[in-house]
Amino acid sequence: GSLVAAVLQHSGHLDKEHLGAHVGRLSRREEVWTMMNSKYSEFLPSVQNREDLVAEVEGLSMDIDLLKAAIENEVQQDLNVAVTEFTELKQQLERDSVVLSVLKKLQEFDTAVKEFSTALLEERYMPAAQRLEKARSSLRNVESHRGFELRIPKALRKELTVQEQSIIYQLGKEWQKLIVWKLPHSKGSSSLEAVVLSELHLHTVPPQGEDSAVPPVTAVLQALAVMGELHYRLKDFGQLLMEYILKPLISYPSLEPVTEEQPDVFILRFRSQELALDEFSPMKVFDKIKLVFEVLHKYLLNVPLEEPGKGGKEGRVTLAELLGELIWEELSNCLIHSCLVHSVPTSSSQLEQYKEVIESTKEFEKALKEMQFLKQDKTALLKYACNVNFHFANRKCQDLIKAARKLMTSEIHNTVKITPDSSTALPELPGPGSGDHPKTHGPPSLLDSGTVNLGSERSLSRSTLSLPTCRISCSVQQLVELAYDTMEEAKTSTKFCCLQLCNCVRDIFHVFCEVVPKYHRENLQKLPQLAAIHYNNCMYIAHHLLTLGHQFRYLTSTVLSDCGGTFVDMVPDFKKLGMECFLAQMQMQKRGVLDRLWSARNFSNMDDDENYRAANKSIKQVLHQLRGLGTVWQDVLPVHMYCKAMGTLLNTALAEIVTRITALEDISAEGADRLYSLCKIMVDEGPQVFTPLLEEDKNKKYQEEVPVYVQKWMTFRELMIILRANLQEIVDRWADGKGPLAEQFSAAEVKGLIRALFQNTERRAAALARIK
């Protein structure tokens, strides 16, 4: 009430409304204050409790600090010392464990070596080898620990090596006792006499009542396998087996294996018996080889071994398997190249009989697989035998090429005469409307009749498909016959063989083009007769190549298309081959003619006796050369070719003489007479070189036809007329460029001859004026 009064007094004047509001606010403040006093009275005890707790915490914090200081000052040092001691003890424990392990392995090594020595002395080779392998394993374990400078492993390694060599030496002696080779003194000798002296003694015969080899055999072989020496021993044994038993049985058909079983040894030796050439067969070779493996399998190879590093059934192999892996490849190659290859048929008719060889090969491989010598996937022999068509074709082609090369390298001068009457292989032409194939597929007939029926009224002449009379080499005739025989055989062969044989015929002719010119090069260059025969040979082959493919066109069309269909494409090559050789010979003969005429001293100053003798000699030499050629080409070249060749050479001589005489600037009257006499020698004796036939009376026809083959013959005759004619006769034969003289010489040449023969007079000038 005092507060309100004070307020009223202070305000001085307050209306009722404002006064009521003010009183209300004061009342609410008083309530707040009252509530605050109540809350304070409740909070004060809790604050006191918290202060007590803070005091306790501070006390604990001090205790903790004191404890921490004590741990850092006292306990930490003791803990570090304990950790260090623990680490050292742990390392010492590890070292002791390693040392203990090493000592244990050393103990195992020592025990294994002692047991090895005992077993070796008792000749228990397999336990000895196993103990030695155990010692080797222990030593490897010892050597695998690094960080130890131990000298003892080095000493133990030496000791182990000594023990290994001792057992290997002992096993080697046992191996030599089991398998004894008695070989001839001349080692490496492959002669039949040396092979017969070879023997193999196997001291592995089982006692009576036992089927397997005696235990020492198994023990020795298994011990060798454990020691890793079996591979080397078996490799040496396989090489000896191949060289002195298997290869001789394959190479010498007369050689037979002989077996002999004694109480303590099995002996394998050989005997040689006389054998007919046709008795050798792969079947017999297979039987001999199989007999050898059967006895080896019984007395030696049927020993199960455990491969090092493998266990169980998968790791067990037999000695036969190991030996097979070592020598089968060499043995199969030897059987193929020294046996089966010789049994391949040489003709299509023998292919059916080869099935027996295939069956024998199959049985041979089967027997080797049953003896575990051969693995199931090894079928090299059977594959080769079954591929007989391929081998037959290859062998046939090789034999054909070999025979063809022999013919090509034989002497060319052994000749045979070919005439139009000779039998010529002609195709059997089908009749009209018969289609592309004949009714029969037999071989083409050799038609000796004069005509070939074409199925109509028309017929071919007897000589249509005939060569002119000439001489060819006997070897070339045989070569062409070989080609025909091969094509005949191709007709009855399988498709593959047919294709190979057709290609082989083409190869034969290709080889001819390569071999003959090189092999006979020197003779073809030096001997004109051989060059002519070679020309005939090439033309003879080209002649047959024209129709060879057509005669055998009824082979399967696919084969013909594969091998070229026909041989016509090779005809130009053979014609070119023969022509090049003959033209080279002609060029050499031409050079000979010109060289001889060179010594005629250009036919100048014939009034000089020495010059005349030189010219006369050169003319005689040319005629002698041509007569010699005529003799060696007589009855060799075809008549038309003979006359053409001799005419060309004679024409060369005449042309050279005409050229040299027309080039003379001065010819005396006596010189003209002598030139005329020289030319007359050529005219009289020149035709006599044309002697293509052996019958002299038949050669006159060709001697009379010299102007046909010698282009300059009439020119030469006109030159002779000029040498003896006067000016008027020369002008008359010129006949204003229409006479016979004008046909052979030009106006300049005639004028040159006139100036050389006649003195410079008005008559000569008038004559020269007429020549234009």
Side-chain angles (χ1 to χ4, degrees), residues 31 139 147 157 196 198 221 235 257 267 324 411 469 480 515 531 564 613 757:
E31 292 175 357
L139 184 58
R157 171 60 63 184
V196 172
S198 303
L221 295 177
K235 185 177 180 181
I267 301 175
E411 295 296 338
T469 302
V480 173
V515 171
R613 284 193 298 268
L757 290 169

Side-chain angles (χ1 to χ4, degrees), residues 16 42 61 71 102 325 478 512:
K16 293 180 177 182
E42 294 177 358
S61 177
I71 290 173
V102 170
E325 292 179 357
Q478 295 171 9
F512 183 93

Side-chain angles (χ1 to χ4, degrees), residues 341 391-405 501 504:
V341 69
H391 301 306
F392 163 72
N394 283 347
R395 180 178 179 181
K396 184 69 177 179
C397 292
Q398 290 175 3
D399 292 343
L400 289 171
I401 293 294
K402 184 178 180 180
R405 287 184 66 92
L501 292 176
C504 182

